[in-house]
Amino acid sequence: MAELDTSGGGKHKGGKKVRSKKQSTRVDLTAMVDLAFLLITFFIMTTTLAKPKAMDLAMPDKDEKTKDQLPIAASRSLTLLLGSDDKLEWYLGEPGKSAPETIGYGKDGLRKLLVDKSKEVQEKTGKFMFVVIKPSDRSVYKNMVSVLDEINITNITSYGIVDITPSEIALLQKDGLYNELPAGKK
């Protein structure tokens, strides 16, 4: 138990003046300490810790048969080829029938492309757009996360991550997007 003693001192001898004895002021701090621990315990128990932000990604097994795959019209498929130097190439439809274009990530690059092409496909076909993501071995993990974030932001629900083909790697090489990565980014 904690207390605070502010007594006026001891008795004086001599008898000249008679002073009244000062009362001792005692403050019991036990209840205050108990209350502090109760409040700390309450706030610790009711605090919500930061939850990790993760996006669910369902990937099929590589060993599954291809009989369950549904065909998607080339006019509704947008292909993204992830290259080096924080750039990507895209084309709508089949490879080789339209010239791929190079863009960057972010709201003025990939996000604008996804919004515009999604509206365009919706107006032409009346159906949703399917995005095919093909990361190369020269793209970095940050680029893949950026693509998935932009797809999530633009509310595109149909997308797939597939392996890049040698002909698409040649497209990236032709446009200078298949450069060696710095040593720390592999």
Side-chain angles (χ1 to χ4, degrees):
M1 175 160 58
E3 63 182 55
L4 179 63
D5 186 16
T6 59
S7 64
K11 295 182 180 180
H12 296 284
K13 295 187 179 180
K16 288 187 177 180
K17 285 189 179 178
V18 177
R19 293 187 182 184
S20 64
K21 182 179 175 187
K22 288 193 173 183
Q23 294 290 331
S24 167
T25 306
R26 182 175 169 261
V27 179
D28 187 11
L29 298 176
T30 305
M32 187 74 75
V33 172
D34 289 345
L35 180 64
F37 279 113
L38 285 172
L39 286 173
I40 289 171
T41 304
F42 172 76
F43 286 119
I44 287 174
M45 296 297 184
T46 59
T47 299
T48 304
L49 299 176
K51 295 179 181 174
K53 296 177 183 176
M55 192 166 90
D56 292 330
L57 182 63
M59 298 288 288
D61 291 334
K62 289 212 178 236
D63 297 336
E64 280 189 25
K65 305 283 184 204
T66 59
K67 66 180 179 179
D68 294 337
Q69 293 180 356
L70 298 173
I72 295 177
S75 61
R76 296 188 313 136
S77 66
L78 175 76
T79 304
L80 303 175
L81 306 175
L82 308 184
S84 60
D85 301 327
D86 291 334
K87 299 281 185 197
L88 63 95
E89 282 193 349
W90 68 273
Y91 58 87
L92 191 62
E94 296 178 33
K97 296 203 175 179
S98 62
E101 295 181 35
T102 303
I103 60 169
Y105 299 91
K107 66 178 183 176
D108 295 329
L110 181 58
R111 188 179 307 171
K112 186 176 182 328
L113 170 77
L114 291 173
V115 169
D116 293 346
K117 292 301 174 185
S118 181
K119 284 180 185 175
E120 182 181 315
V121 167
Q122 182 74 27
E123 289 172 0
K124 281 184 182 178
T125 64
K127 296 182 180 180
F128 61 89
M129 179 176 71
F130 189 83
V131 178
V132 180
I133 306 165
K134 296 186 175 188
S136 70
D137 58 346
R138 304 295 165 88
S139 64
V140 292
Y141 179 74
K142 176 184 85 163
N143 297 144
M144 185 66 190
V145 171
S146 295
V147 169
L148 291 175
D149 283 344
E150 295 299 334
I151 284 177
N152 193 28
I153 290 169
T154 56
N155 293 325
I156 294 177
T157 57
S158 300
Y159 60 92
I161 303 169
V162 296
D163 294 332
I164 194 166
T165 63
S167 62
E168 291 165 333
I169 290 175
L171 278 174
L172 289 173
Q173 286 173 335
K174 183 183 83 166
D175 293 329
L177 297 179
Y178 199 73
N179 303 326
E180 283 293 322
L181 290 174
K185 294 206 173 186
K186 286 188 178 184

